[in-house]
Every structure is written in C-alpha cells, then in structure tokens.
Amino acid sequence: MEETYLLNVEGVKKKILHGGRGELPKLEDGSRITFHFQTLKDDFERTVIDDSREAGMPMEIIVGKMFKLEIWETLLSSMRIGEVAEFWCDAIHTGMYALVSRGMRRIAEGRDPLEGQKHRCGMGNMFDYHSTGYDDLDDLQRTPQPLIFIMELFRVEEPSAYKRDTWAMSKEEKLAAVPVLHSEGNRLVLRKEFGQAAAKYQEAVICLRNLQAKEKPWEEGWLKLERLVTPLVLNYCQCQLELGEYYEVLEHTTELLQKHNDNAKAYFKRAKAHAAVWNEREAREDFLQAAHLDPSMAAAVKKELKQLGERMRKKHVEDRKRYQGLFQPTR
C-alpha cells in the first residue's frame, strides 16, 4: 500500500505491512488497547530505539486518560485487529517521546516511572532535568526529530469488558466501586481470608483518596469522602492485626487519629497493636481512651487489659530467668 496521510492529520504517514480483520474497532473513553510497538529513528540504518517485544509484554493504553504521546491514540484508531502498520510522524508529534520512553523503560526495569520527578507537568519535568538516564533518549530530548512507529494491534476492549485499574476509573466509577469492594472485603473476612480482604479494603481506600485529592481539605466534599474512608481503614487494620502486621496497624491508626482523635475503634485497634509489640504503657493509654470515648467498649477493654497484664507478667518472669542465667558463674 502506498503511503498516505492518515485521517488528514498533518505530519503523519501510514503504510500497512499486514492487513487486519473486521471493521475498525470503536474506541471510546475507557477502552483498553493492547498492542506491540517498535520505535525507530528516521535514518539510513532505521535505528531501533524501543521494542516492546524485547520487554516481554505488549503495551496497553486507556483511551481518554491523557497518555503523554497523544498521537498514538490517533494511529491506533486507524488500525484493525491483527493489523501491522508503519507510521512516520514528524517532530511536532514526537517531541514528548523521550519522556514517555523513559517511563516505559523504568516500568520494564521494575522501577518507579516517576522516580525523581517533581510534581509538575511532563513538559516541565523535561526542562527540569538535564538527563533522562538514557543516552539515546537524551539525544532525542536535545534534538526532537521524526520517528517511525511499527505497531501490531491485538485487541480493543470496551470499558465494561475488563477489570479497570483504579487510576483509569472516572469519578462515578470509583464511587460505584467502593461499596462493591467493601462488600467483597467483608465476605472474605467471614471466610478468614484476611490478606485478600485487606487488599479489597485498600483498593476502596485508594479510590476514595484519589477523589479526595481533588477536594479542598475539611470542606463538605472532602468530609463526605472521609466518612467513607474511615471504616475501610479500620477494617483494613483489623485484617492486619489478624495477619500479625502490627506496625502496619500502628502506622494507619495513628494517621487516622491525627485527623479524628475521637475515634474509639481506632484507639482500640492501635492499643492491640501496641500490646502485641510489648508497648505496655502506650497500649494501656489507648485502651483506656477507647473506653472513655465509648463506654460500651468498657467490657472489651477490661478483658484486654487483663490479658495484657498477664502477658507482661509472664514476660517479666521469663526475662528475669534469662538475665539471671547470663550472670551465673560457669562451673
């Protein structure tokens, strides 16, 4: 097939290397596109810059989620399933490729793609740093140039056809997912599958925290979301207590109490974590505070304090025997 301008987009040419099947897939916001790609320089050697096959897994992007190389959505929208096509794009469309490639390479290496970046837009980060950490990408950053993309389209999935990552959800989808995740967590707790339950609660918290980040702290919208977050965090902490992750519980309950210092359940769970790691004074203080804030917890607190006293006495006896043995003269 002769090279033609793609969808009347200036500065882009397409050549089909292998025909696809069926009609052009319908792309909508939230659709997930899976494909392999190869990026080459437009030089005599057609120098390969990136190849997703070498990374061992295909590329995925979500339509409408502001992937930094916007032209890729346009290129993929012109392809049929199974099609292999070569695209030539001028420097206007490839100026951000160095930053995109840097992130993809870091992910393939198991590193944080945002490591070392400031909280700024992508273009700002390009000017903030003299090096991407990769020599070939530094060359592209200094001298933007046309690039060639060879793409093979595998599948296009509608938003409802796959389990979407939290970051890819809309506000409405996140709010709808929270009660479902909460219910799934509760069901797993009843089956004593605490690790899986904790993951469900945590995912629900992440959904809400993402939404909270767009609200002004302590105003009504933020508080409404916070009221949903609190029981999920407490459920998560209960799972961590069951799993023996006591310092995890201390971290999350302390963070919760910094914002809500009248939460009796948070004091109670933090007290249990303190008791488990032998912080006797802190455990007693938190147990008593829980009973003070919620008198209905007095019986449970009394039971916990009794168990704490017995454990501490036993530990002191064992410690005395251990230390006494250290100073016994050897015959």
Side-chain angles (χ1 to χ4, degrees):
M1 178 179 177
E2 294 183 357
E3 292 182 341
T4 58
Y5 280 101
L6 168 64
L7 302 178
N8 296 318
V9 178
E10 187 175 355
V12 177
K13 298 177 184 178
K14 175 182 179 181
K15 182 165 63 176
I16 296 178
L17 305 180
H18 183 278
R21 58 185 181 274
E23 301 295 324
L24 288 174
K26 181 181 178 181
L27 302 183
E28 56 182 302
D29 279 1
S31 295
R32 181 167 68 179
I33 309 175
T34 305
F35 60 99
H36 265 309
F37 74 94
Q38 191 178 49
T39 305
L40 304 90
K41 285 187 176 181
D42 184 23
D43 56 15
F44 182 77
E45 295 84 5
R46 288 169 63 93
T47 305
V48 176
I49 301 172
D50 289 309
D51 189 337
S52 62
R53 286 183 174 81
E54 290 186 1
M57 59 186 300
M59 180 72 180
E60 292 181 351
I61 63 174
I62 307 296
V63 175
K65 296 302 176 183
M66 295 188 296
F67 184 67
K68 290 187 176 67
L69 204 64
E70 295 179 10
I71 192 62
W72 273 16
E73 283 190 19
T74 305
L75 306 182
L76 290 162
S77 70
S78 76
M79 300 179 68
R80 291 172 169 81
I81 303 300
E83 179 179 325
V84 181
E86 176 179 306
F87 300 90
W88 178 90
C89 299
D90 67 16
I92 294 176
H93 297 293
T94 63
M96 293 296 292
Y97 186 79
L99 180 62
V100 171
S101 176
R102 175 182 183 268
M104 292 189 295
R105 291 184 187 185
R106 285 177 173 268
I107 291 172
E109 295 165 3
R111 300 163 64 189
D112 182 355
L114 300 179
E115 178 184 327
Q117 290 192 20
K118 298 178 181 178
H119 185 62
R120 294 183 56 183
C121 67
M123 187 62 74
N125 279 311
M126 290 286 281
F127 289 111
D128 272 339
Y129 299 93
H130 299 294
S131 175
T132 62
Y134 304 94
D135 292 340
D136 57 341
L137 298 183
D138 288 344
D139 290 340
L140 287 181
Q141 184 172 315
R142 285 191 293 267
T143 311
Q145 56 194 270
L147 294 174
I148 297 168
F149 301 113
I150 300 176
M151 294 179 162
E152 180 180 2
L153 179 61
F154 292 140
R155 59 182 174 271
V156 175
E157 299 166 279
E158 296 179 357
S160 60
Y162 67 94
K163 186 179 185 300
R164 303 178 68 185
D165 293 329
T166 300
W167 65 267
M169 293 180 179
S170 67
K171 177 180 179 179
E172 292 72 21
E173 289 170 332
K174 288 174 183 173
L175 287 172
V178 168
V180 176
L181 291 167
H182 198 160
S183 178
E184 289 177 354
N186 292 346
R187 178 177 55 82
L188 289 164
V189 166
L190 292 175
R191 292 165 53 180
K192 299 189 182 301
E193 297 177 12
F194 298 111
Q196 294 181 48
K200 296 293 183 183
Y201 295 136
Q202 185 178 46
E203 188 175 352
V205 169
I206 290 171
C207 284
L208 294 170
R209 291 298 190 207
N210 287 342
L211 295 174
Q212 264 192 321
K214 300 176 182 179
E215 301 286 345
K216 190 170 182 180
W218 301 106
E219 291 196 351
E220 183 54 36
W222 188 94
L223 289 170
K224 184 177 179 180
L225 293 168
E226 185 69 14
R227 285 191 286 271
L228 297 175
V229 167
T230 300
L232 288 163
V233 172
L234 291 173
N235 287 0
Y236 174 82
C237 288
Q238 183 60 43
C239 291
Q240 297 302 321
L241 284 172
E242 299 287 350
L243 294 168
E245 299 292 343
Y246 304 119
Y247 289 103
E248 181 91 352
V249 177
L250 292 175
E251 177 185 349
H252 289 286
T253 50
T254 298
E255 181 182 352
L256 187 61
L257 287 166
Q258 287 172 349
K259 292 183 285 188
H260 311 288
N261 62 2
D262 59 348
N263 193 301
K265 290 182 179 180
Y267 278 110
F268 188 82
K269 294 186 190 303
R270 189 172 73 172
K272 287 179 71 71
H274 275 309
V277 296
W278 308 105
N279 296 337
E280 181 181 12
R281 179 179 60 81
E282 292 88 345
R284 290 186 180 278
E285 289 176 354
D286 280 352
F287 277 133
L288 293 172
Q289 184 67 6
H292 171 73
L293 291 169
D294 186 353
S296 69
M297 300 178 69
V301 166
K302 183 178 179 180
K303 180 181 177 181
E304 293 288 343
L305 287 172
K306 182 179 178 181
Q307 291 177 351
L308 176 61
E310 291 171 353
R311 289 181 68 242
M312 295 307 300
R313 281 192 293 273
K314 184 177 179 181
K315 181 177 185 297
H316 293 327
V317 170
E318 291 173 351
D319 287 346
R320 280 199 300 271
K321 289 181 179 178
R322 187 180 302 112
Y323 295 138
Q324 194 174 31
L326 289 175
F327 297 103
Q328 289 286 344
T330 304
R331 292 187 178 183

